[in-house]
Amino acid sequence: MVKYKVLISEERLKENVKELAEQISRDYEGKELVLVGVLKGGFIFLADLAREISIPVKIDFISVSSYGNATESSGVVKIIKDVDADVTGKHVLIVEDMIDTGVTLNYLKDFFSTKGCKSVKICTALNKPARRKTDVVIEYKGMEIPDEFVVGYGLDYAGKYRNLKEVVVVEEI
Ligand code: IMP
Ligand code: MG
């Protein structure tokens, strides 16, 4: 990466995680909750969020691909790996790094609804509403970002930069 600027600092990401985790802990008190991380991007946010949640939760992962080039998703979602556990009758919270067009999450919400879950809700670290193509209800909405391509905190460019601690805007690659 040649040039980038920090859009969201590590501190602000941490505060955001704490707020979301408090809400989730309150809302799901006494319920059987499964956090489903969306691989690969959701792995860092899920790890942070899970450790701030104060109620017992189960953790699972799903892997999806939205075929396309490095910065544009094609709109065609494919499940690469399904969750391991049976989520029938469970409360599922899908944990995602970013909601951009909304296509992936819309697909995943429908996908889980067919599994007979008690509820299916969405928690995202970042939200880019400017590029939405489809309406998607986000129950736990993280930080809003402008219409720019970002990396870090799980998000990649061509597979790299997921490990950056901040969310940064790529100015030149
Ligand atoms: P969707 O367009 O809402 O279906 O988002 C699909 C996926 O594209 C997200 O889960 C992210 O992994 C990825 N994505 C969206 N915007 C960005 C970005 O700015 N940088 C890196 N990945 C992104
Ligand atoms: Mg993602």
Side-chain angles (χ1 to χ4, degrees), residues 38-42 64-66 70-75 77 96-106 124 126 128 131-134 136 145-152 154-158 162 167-168 170:
V38 183
L39 295 172
K40 304 183 177 76
V64 297
S65 81
S66 43
T71 62
E72 287 288 331
S73 86
S74 66
V77 184
E96 175 66 304
D97 51 2
M98 158 87 80
I99 301 188
D100 184 18
T101 63
V103 171
T104 307
L105 261 295
N106 237 5
T124 187
L126 304 168
K128 206 193 280 178
R131 286 173 29 102
R132 207 69 99 235
K133 281 190 190 146
T134 163
V136 48
I145 65 158
D147 185 8
E148 286 183 279
F149 189 77
V150 296
V151 296
L155 293 154
D156 72 305
Y157 171 75
R162 294 190 195 277
V167 174
V168 310
V170 179

Side-chain angles (χ1 to χ4, degrees), residues 30-81:
K31 295 180 177 159
E32 267 195 273
L33 175 61
V34 186
L35 301 178
V36 176
V38 183
L39 295 172
K40 304 183 177 76
F43 81 111
I44 288 184
F45 178 48
L46 177 81
D48 284 350
L49 188 73
R51 284 176 294 175
E52 294 294 337
I53 290 176
S54 57
I55 57 168
V57 293
K58 285 187 179 168
I59 292 176
D60 216 316
F61 291 96
I62 192 162
S63 182
V64 297
S65 81
S66 43
Y67 288 129
N69 64 29
T71 62
E72 287 288 331
S73 86
S74 66
V76 182
V77 184
K78 192 178 165 212
I79 306 274
I80 309 291
K81 179 217 164 288

Side-chain angles (χ1 to χ4, degrees), residues 116-173:
C117 305
K118 226 174 202 166
S119 71
V120 183
K121 292 186 178 172
I122 294 172
C123 178
T124 187
L126 304 168
N127 181 26
K128 206 193 280 178
R131 286 173 29 102
R132 207 69 99 235
K133 281 190 190 146
T134 163
D135 269 349
V136 48
V137 179
I138 311 167
E139 287 81 2
Y140 302 95
K141 213 181 278 184
M143 309 185 73
E144 196 165 300
I145 65 158
D147 185 8
E148 286 183 279
F149 189 77
V150 296
V151 296
Y153 203 63
L155 293 154
D156 72 305
Y157 171 75
K160 282 188 258 179
Y161 312 117
R162 294 190 195 277
N163 55 319
L164 293 180
K165 288 182 181 176
E166 306 105 346
V167 174
V168 310
V169 179
V170 179
E171 291 175 329
E172 226 174 83
I173 292 170

